[in-house]
Amino acid sequence: MRWLYRLIADLAGPPVVLAASLRGRFGGRWRERLGFRFHPRPARSRPRVWFHGASVGEVRSAAAVIEALLAREPDLDICLSSGTPAGLATAESLFRAGGPRVSVMAAPLDFWGAPARTLARLRPSALVILETELWPNLIFEARAGGTRLMLAAGRLTDRSFRRYGLARGFMARLLGQFDLLAASGSRERDLFARLGAPADRLAVLGNPKFDRLAVEADSEDLAQKKIFWSERLWGGGPRRPLIVAGSTHPGEEDFLLAAWSELRAARPDLALLLAPRHLNRVPEVLALAEKRGVAAVAASAADSPLLDRSPVVALDSLGQLTALYGLADVVVIGGSLRPGLTGHNPLEPAAVAAPMLFGPHMVSFAEEARGLLMAGGARETAPDTLAADLERWLGDPEAARAAGRAARDWLNGREPAAPALAEALLALLRTPERGAP
């Protein structure tokens, strides 16, 4: 199976990467991606730890663990990689002043020998993979070279579990390469175990993605972004009630536009901001609004104030959503309103005390959704009740504000995951090397 995977990756990998690059989801820094960039050798006195995360969320998770790790062992040499342009931009912004011990690089492609070349140049003592970036060639090459392997905040959707289950023997061997598989929750731990992960290397240590949300929500940077967007949306005029729908997928914008249109009969000043999960869908979202007779605008393509030009705005830039959640009267979590989707992060609006709705399809954030519902910080909705559920928050601003406070209080009560993950990694670095499986 390993040799079959290598053959398929070498043949199919290049056209897949090319297609992703043409869609704007990948590309650039090709010398790094192919393993040809020179990396200084780590000093003997400073072990090098390589963290890898797929994109923005995983990079933020890695950053939280890196901060906790350097607080305990400031002499470690840290490398952080990501696979997407957005993830690389986030990593570089987080560690712009980090110095040579936190270097940022594009992750190697999992074909044409790129993982082996990168590992030979980096010589990491440990490789920490965030969530579910299970690239077989990278993992097998790292293990063969004596690099310690740790999966942090391990997550599996039901779809991923079913797909991996088709090659359970191969997955059992792949997961067996890890010295520690730190799942984000008990559900994920059980799914990894069912795929054949060694029971003695499984642990539940949480997800550091959410550790710094409340702190960042109180930052000066976010405050400035909120001022910018308040001016951009309303200018100096009166504030209009605003629904913000974050990380939406095809089909969901139809539900949201229909609900918003229904509410506008009684609330003609109601505005809607749609933030599609993938920015290349912004023209599609604008076309959907125009089909309904609404001249929607892209957030960056028109003069301020945007809501004087159109009551529907499509967000076409990254890194702005949390600030916009902080300005919303109600937030709707995308990726949750139709079957086949698994939900997106409900804790970003919780960090800014925004009342929220999400649909029944929140598998990827099931524990967080349950916690927010129980705390009174969120309500579950569905396409056919979306308008009525939005009106419940819009018609009772005090209840909505109380829900937002409850969501933030619940978030602040969570135990941070990064310190435990950092301690587990340090323990791993101190233990004798495990023999080849």
Side-chain angles (χ1 to χ4, degrees), residues 48-50 119 124-129 139 142-151 177-180 424-435:
R48 175 172 286 167
V49 180
W50 175 8
L119 286 160
S125 298
L127 169 59
V128 182
I129 296 173
I139 291 167
R143 184 77 185 91
T147 299
R148 300 302 179 82
L149 279 163
M150 175 178 175
L151 184 69
Q177 307 302 302
F178 284 87
D179 297 278
L180 176 62
L425 176 57
L426 288 173
L428 197 63
L429 289 170
R430 289 192 289 262
T431 56
E433 184 178 344
R434 184 165 55 89

Side-chain angles (χ1 to χ4, degrees), residues 264-285:
R264 281 196 85 206
R267 297 179 179 276
D269 61 343
L270 181 63
L272 173 65
L273 186 141
L274 297 168
R277 177 68 172 175
H278 301 297
L279 295 186
N280 63 335
R281 293 193 56 248
V282 167
E284 175 189 337
V285 171

Side-chain angles (χ1 to χ4, degrees), residues 159-179:
R159 183 187 304 173
S160 296
F161 174 73
R162 289 193 296 270
R163 186 170 67 247
Y164 289 142
L166 297 175
R168 189 183 180 282
F170 178 73
M171 287 304 301
R173 185 167 179 227
L174 183 68
L175 295 172
Q177 307 302 302
F178 284 87
D179 297 278

Side-chain angles (χ1 to χ4, degrees), residues 170-255:
F170 178 73
M171 287 304 301
R173 185 167 179 227
L174 183 68
L175 295 172
Q177 307 302 302
F178 284 87
D179 297 278
L180 176 62
L181 293 147
S184 59
S186 56
R187 172 188 168 277
E188 288 79 6
R189 176 199 59 202
D190 294 343
L191 291 178
F192 281 117
R194 289 168 62 187
L195 287 175
D200 61 341
R201 294 178 225 153
L202 277 167
V204 177
L205 296 180
N207 194 333
K209 184 181 290 186
F210 315 124
D211 285 8
R212 292 185 52 80
L213 282 177
V215 174
E216 291 171 358
D218 292 329
S219 69
E220 181 62 26
D221 178 62
L222 190 67
Q224 291 301 315
K225 285 184 178 180
K226 288 173 68 174
I227 292 170
F228 169 82
W229 281 107
S230 180
E231 181 66 26
R232 185 122 178 85
L233 291 169
W234 295 286
R239 187 189 185 285
R240 301 171 60 175
L242 176 66
I243 299 167
V244 174
S247 298
T248 57
H249 287 250
E252 293 188 305
E253 293 92 1
D254 289 306
F255 301 142

Side-chain angles (χ1 to χ4, degrees), residues 171-402:
M171 287 304 301
R173 185 167 179 227
L174 183 68
L175 295 172
Q177 307 302 302
F178 284 87
D179 297 278
L180 176 62
L181 293 147
S184 59
S186 56
R187 172 188 168 277
E188 288 79 6
R189 176 199 59 202
D190 294 343
L191 291 178
F192 281 117
R194 289 168 62 187
L195 287 175
D200 61 341
R201 294 178 225 153
L202 277 167
V204 177
L205 296 180
N207 194 333
K209 184 181 290 186
F210 315 124
D211 285 8
R212 292 185 52 80
L213 282 177
V215 174
E216 291 171 358
D218 292 329
S219 69
E220 181 62 26
D221 178 62
L222 190 67
Q224 291 301 315
K225 285 184 178 180
K226 288 173 68 174
I227 292 170
F228 169 82
W229 281 107
S230 180
E231 181 66 26
R232 185 122 178 85
L233 291 169
W234 295 286
R239 187 189 185 285
R240 301 171 60 175
L242 176 66
I243 299 167
V244 174
S247 298
T248 57
H249 287 250
E252 293 188 305
E253 293 92 1
D254 289 306
F255 301 142
L256 289 154
L257 286 163
W260 169 80
S261 298
E262 183 179 335
L263 292 171
R264 281 196 85 206
R267 297 179 179 276
D269 61 343
L270 181 63
L272 173 65
L273 186 141
L274 297 168
R277 177 68 172 175
H278 301 297
L279 295 186
N280 63 335
R281 293 193 56 248
V282 167
E284 175 189 337
V285 171
L286 295 174
L288 283 172
E290 289 176 5
K291 267 189 174 181
R292 294 179 172 272
V294 179
V297 296
S300 66
D303 296 330
S304 301
L306 293 172
L307 297 181
D308 282 357
R309 299 171 59 89
S310 170
V312 175
V313 176
L315 182 64
D316 55 352
S317 57
L318 295 170
Q320 310 301 316
L321 198 49
T322 303
L324 287 162
Y325 283 156
L327 298 175
D329 293 87
V330 187
V331 166
V332 180
I333 303 298
S336 68
L337 293 173
R338 64 169 178 80
L341 301 176
T342 60
H344 288 298
N345 184 4
L347 299 186
E348 289 180 354
V352 292
M356 76 189 83
L357 299 172
F358 44 71
H361 308 288
M362 288 288 288
V363 172
S364 291
F365 293 90
E367 291 184 19
E368 291 80 9
R370 280 194 297 270
L372 287 165
L373 289 170
M374 292 179 64
R379 288 175 177 161
E380 188 173 295
T381 189
D384 58 346
T385 65
L386 183 56
D389 292 330
L390 285 166
E391 178 57 33
R392 289 173 69 189
W393 286 135
L394 294 168
D396 192 347
E398 183 50 45
R401 285 191 290 270

